[in-house]
Amino acid sequence: MKFAIFGNTYQAKKSSHAVTLFKLLKKQGAEIGMCREFYQFLVSENMDIKADQLFDGDDFTADMVISIGGDGTFLKAARRVGRKGIPILGINTGRLGFLADISPEEMEETFDEIQNGRYSVEERSVLQLICNDKHLQDSPYALNEIAILKRDSSSMISIRTAINGAYLNTYQADGLVIATPTGSTAYSLSVGGPIIVPHSNTIAITPVAPHSLNVRPIVIRDDWEITLDVESRSHNFLVAIDGRSETCKETTQLTIRRADYSIKVVKRFNHIFFDTLRSKMMWGADGRR
């Protein structure tokens, strides 16, 4: 198999896992392509890494992409994969890790399974932002969420929201998070949004610190279109697409819809979402024992 590898370039202490990964892949006779930035980082940390090919941007091909880091690294890899349709495996050297959910200790067993074809591939929906802001249109796709947020210490913003042209609500809040099921366990969850099972074909709309306590998250079908008009005393606001933020003018109208492609996520053949959820959220854990 041919692998393309992306990695976290900020955690030198954890980069040793990459050496183990390379040894496993070479042992299997795999062809290894590598993001140049990650390669240079590892070399600068005096690690003996030999790749068959280095690449920049999205100029690569592979049978499978490997992301070694946390969920943030996985999101960056997904952005580089885009419409290529290459499945992505996430090895977690970060913190929580819902997308990157293979621990370094599981690598050897996992790649043995992959070599024998014993793995599954899940299709995850992607959101697309449509607007007239050129900066946002450079990379308008989100695997996790698109967030509309006030700037720094400015006052609340007003977000007029319509679904398929029908008025829903004007949110007086610090922001609004539009999340896929994949992103429901990320930013949306931290501001009180619901956990959504993957493949449920839905989108969650969750306000950030709303002025009215009556305002609650709402879940809609993912083939519906969301239109947002924002008012702000500072006459601008932030749009964050999977954490990458840009400042927008108040007059910018935003349309959010499901993208016409999906991201493929590699899971171990015995993976069950509820097991991951229970483990990551520590449901049932009792510190008294």
Side-chain angles (χ1 to χ4, degrees):
M1 291 181 70
K2 183 179 181 180
F3 294 91
I5 301 177
F6 296 87
N8 186 314
T9 57
Y10 303 103
Q11 295 176 310
K13 292 181 180 178
K14 297 180 179 179
S15 57
S16 60
H17 296 304
V19 177
T20 305
L21 171 63
F22 273 76
K23 287 180 179 177
L24 288 171
L25 295 180
K26 284 297 184 183
K27 183 180 176 182
Q28 293 185 350
E31 183 180 347
I32 301 173
M34 195 168 184
C35 168
R36 190 182 305 275
E37 181 185 11
F38 186 44
Y39 172 80
Q40 292 173 342
F41 170 73
L42 294 178
V43 170
S44 71
E45 294 297 323
N46 299 315
M47 297 194 182
D48 185 18
I49 298 294
K50 291 182 175 62
D52 298 304
Q53 178 188 4
L54 299 180
F55 58 83
D56 299 292
D58 59 359
D59 184 22
F60 66 92
T61 60
D63 299 308
M64 186 178 293
V65 164
I66 299 173
S67 165
I68 181 164
D71 282 354
T73 306
F74 192 104
L75 291 174
K76 290 177 183 177
R79 188 162 70 248
R80 303 272 282 274
V81 169
R83 299 174 182 274
K84 293 179 184 290
I86 304 171
I88 309 171
L89 173 72
I91 297 172
N92 182 33
T93 62
R95 296 184 183 90
L96 197 58
F98 271 95
L99 284 166
D101 61 353
I102 304 297
S103 70
E105 294 73 29
E106 296 176 304
M107 282 197 294
E108 185 170 2
E109 188 177 359
T110 299
F111 283 104
D112 283 342
E113 292 168 356
I114 289 173
Q115 190 175 38
N116 294 317
R118 299 181 69 203
Y119 64 93
S120 61
V121 176
E122 297 181 354
E123 300 267 352
R124 299 295 184 93
S125 61
V126 175
L127 295 176
Q128 179 181 3
L129 175 67
I130 300 168
C131 66
N132 57 9
D133 187 297
K134 293 181 180 178
H135 296 294
L136 290 170
Q137 288 307 295
D138 286 342
S139 185
Y141 300 102
L143 176 59
N144 266 1
E145 76 279 310
I146 297 172
I148 315 304
L149 304 164
K150 70 172 189 175
R151 288 196 63 197
D152 303 323
S153 59
S154 61
S155 301
M156 286 186 303
I157 54 178
S158 297
I159 310 167
R160 187 185 190 280
T161 305
I163 310 295
N164 288 342
Y167 175 64
L168 172 66
N169 185 37
T170 298
Y171 293 92
Q172 306 280 344
D174 284 355
L176 197 65
V177 179
I178 315 297
T180 64
T182 302
S184 72
T185 52
Y187 190 6
S188 177
L189 180 64
S190 73
V191 294
I195 294 173
I196 303 176
V197 176
H199 319 116
S200 58
N201 301 319
T202 55
I203 295 172
I205 303 175
T206 305
V208 180
H211 185 263
S212 172
L213 292 178
N214 293 329
V215 175
R216 293 294 183 218
I218 185 170
V219 178
I220 65 170
R221 288 170 47 143
D222 70 357
D223 58 354
W224 291 356
E225 188 174 271
I226 304 166
T227 306
L228 307 173
D229 291 281
V230 183
E231 291 184 7
S232 168
R233 288 184 185 178
S234 61
H235 305 297
N236 52 45
F237 59 96
L238 290 178
V239 177
I241 303 175
D242 277 350
R244 296 165 287 113
S245 60
E246 292 284 348
T247 302
C248 268
K249 293 182 180 179
E250 184 177 53
T251 54
T252 306
Q253 185 181 76
L254 308 174
T255 299
I256 297 172
R257 63 170 67 138
R258 184 184 64 198
D260 60 358
Y261 74 95
S262 60
I263 292 294
K264 296 179 178 179
V265 181
V266 177
K267 297 293 182 182
R268 296 186 66 179
F269 73 100
N270 59 352
H271 165 78
I272 298 174
F273 173 74
F274 302 118
D275 291 343
T276 301
L277 189 64
R278 207 166 45 247
S279 171
K280 301 296 183 182
M281 302 295 290
M282 297 174 63
W283 287 355
D286 189 344
R288 294 171 297 180
R289 294 176 182 174

